[in-house]
Amino acid sequence: MKFFLILLLPLALFAKLNIAVSYPYIGALTKSIGGKNINIIVLAKGDWDPHFVVPRPSLISKIRNADGLIINGGQLEIGWLPQLINRGANPKTKVGAKSFLDLSHHIKMILKPKNVDRSGGDIHPDGNPHFHLDPNNILILADTIKRYLSSIDITNSKAYEKNYEIFIKMFKIKIDEWNKKMSNKKGLKVIQFHNNLAYFIKAYGLKNIATIEPLPGIPASSKHIMNLIKLIKKEKPFCILHDVYHSTKTAKYISSKTDIPIVLMPHDINSLDSIKDLTSLFDYLTSALDD
Ligand SMILES: [Zn+2]
């Protein structure tokens, strides 16, 4: 009996916090700040459509075993996460719990529609929730996550502060590098499939002239496609920026009629094989528009 007690004691003392997160980018950022004191449980895979994750039973058990939950928010998870949280029935991951963090509450969201036509199916009525694709927002989110981890695990708050400082220092150097790389892209016109890159485009002064989806989540009609082709011929955008999870069929048709290329833009870690962390995500995005 004594032998078992001795074995169990250190485990209890050094138990790591299990933090569930909705998307890989949140996992990577939380791991950078949490370091060895936390385990990360990522719910959605990086190459999945972040709007439409299938709420598998395996995800419910992940929620059930978590000590906390961090979500993107801004209704990005509205189609899949609320039911997982309900079925997980874990007080620590409930909306409003101290250990529940909605990152969107700490970011100024852009593109909130003036009139939301829910019957029209706009999936982003609170504004555009893809704010992590502006690297400057990553700095805000890092601070938010540091405060969150320190509030639920005060004993390790010094370690979180230290990890945060190291991360911020590294990331600011990278931001300068990305700013330099993108400085000759100001005013560059682009078309997108879905406005995934709204914050990236704003950060680097690009100009999104249209989306293949007429509204977020709504497929293009043939009339909309014909109008897009006319617009592209007139405005001559550089390319069509496309996410990795929607079919490129419509974009390919438009490309064939207008002669502008399609450029795949990863939205999260592991959305493409080469994207292994936040740094490689932005390294890729800031190189994708080079000739
Ligand atoms: Zn979206």
Side-chain angles (χ1 to χ4, degrees), residues 50-263:
H51 311 85
F52 300 106
V53 172
V54 179
R56 295 187 174 92
S58 62
L59 297 182
I60 299 169
S61 58
K62 285 180 176 174
I63 296 258
R64 201 161 280 158
N65 295 322
D67 298 307
L69 174 63
I70 308 178
I71 72 164
N72 183 91
Q75 301 218 25
L76 186 53
E77 296 101 339
I78 197 81
W80 60 277
L81 194 52
Q83 50 180 310
L84 288 178
I85 293 173
N86 271 340
R87 291 172 67 190
N90 177 355
K92 291 179 181 168
T93 61
K94 284 241 148 77
V95 178
K98 195 186 170 197
S99 43
F100 174 89
L101 174 63
D102 181 330
L103 294 175
S104 70
H105 292 167
H106 302 268
I107 294 284
K108 197 173 182 306
M109 300 240 296
I110 59 171
L111 300 175
K112 186 173 167 58
K114 283 190 184 76
N115 303 302
V116 176
D117 179 9
R118 283 180 191 276
S119 65
D122 186 339
I123 56 169
H124 294 326
D126 284 352
N128 190 301
H130 305 290
F131 46 75
H132 75 285
L133 292 176
D134 175 352
N136 300 293
N137 282 343
I138 295 291
L139 300 177
I140 300 170
L141 299 178
D143 177 65
T144 304
I145 290 170
K146 176 198 69 179
R147 288 166 194 273
Y148 161 83
L149 289 176
S150 299
S151 76
I152 60 170
D153 181 23
I154 299 161
T155 36
N156 289 310
S157 57
K158 276 202 174 119
Y160 300 138
E161 184 67 42
K162 196 176 160 214
N163 294 342
Y164 164 80
E165 295 294 343
I166 293 167
F167 175 82
I168 288 290
K169 200 175 167 207
M170 176 280 290
F171 211 72
K172 280 184 174 168
I173 293 169
K174 290 300 294 182
I175 286 180
D176 286 344
E177 197 184 295
W178 297 323
N179 282 341
K180 279 193 193 100
K181 261 167 86 180
M182 291 297 288
S183 61
N184 63 346
K185 302 286 186 293
K186 285 198 174 73
L188 195 76
K189 291 177 185 172
V190 293
I191 296 264
Q192 289 185 88
F193 181 87
H194 176 85
N195 203 352
N196 270 347
L197 292 155
Y199 294 80
F200 179 85
I201 282 169
K202 188 166 180 262
Y204 295 112
L206 308 178
K207 209 173 164 208
N208 182 58
I209 62 165
T211 51
I212 294 178
E213 289 179 333
L215 278 175
I218 308 297
S221 63
S222 41
K223 188 179 168 220
H224 182 69
I225 292 169
M226 288 309 140
N227 286 339
L228 277 178
I229 291 170
K230 262 189 231 159
L231 182 76
I232 293 170
K233 285 180 175 166
K234 187 170 157 255
E235 296 279 334
K236 300 188 173 42
F238 179 67
C239 63
I240 301 169
L241 300 176
H242 208 291
D243 60 68
V244 301
Y245 48 83
H246 280 113
S247 160
T248 52
K249 199 176 153 212
T250 310
K252 276 182 180 152
Y253 174 75
I254 295 170
S255 171
S256 74
K257 298 285 172 197
T258 56
D259 237 15
I260 63 167
I262 300 168
V263 177

Side-chain angles (χ1 to χ4, degrees), residues 21-29 42-47 268-270:
V21 303
S22 50
Y23 301 113
Y25 90 86
I26 305 174
L29 190 53
V42 182
L43 300 175
K45 290 229 163 84
D47 57 348
D268 205 336
I269 295 163
N270 295 326

Side-chain angles (χ1 to χ4, degrees), residues 261-290:
I262 300 168
V263 177
L264 275 187
M265 295 293 263
H267 66 289
D268 205 336
I269 295 163
N270 295 326
S271 58
L272 294 174
D273 285 344
S274 61
I275 313 296
K276 293 294 176 208
D277 49 32
L278 280 167
T279 305
S280 55
L281 174 63
F282 288 107
D283 278 343
Y284 189 104
L285 292 171
T286 53
S287 302
L289 294 167
D290 291 340

Side-chain angles (χ1 to χ4, degrees), residues 1-9:
M1 189 62 190
K2 253 183 190 166
F3 174 74
F4 282 109
L5 275 176
I6 290 162
L7 267 183
L8 285 171
L9 193 64

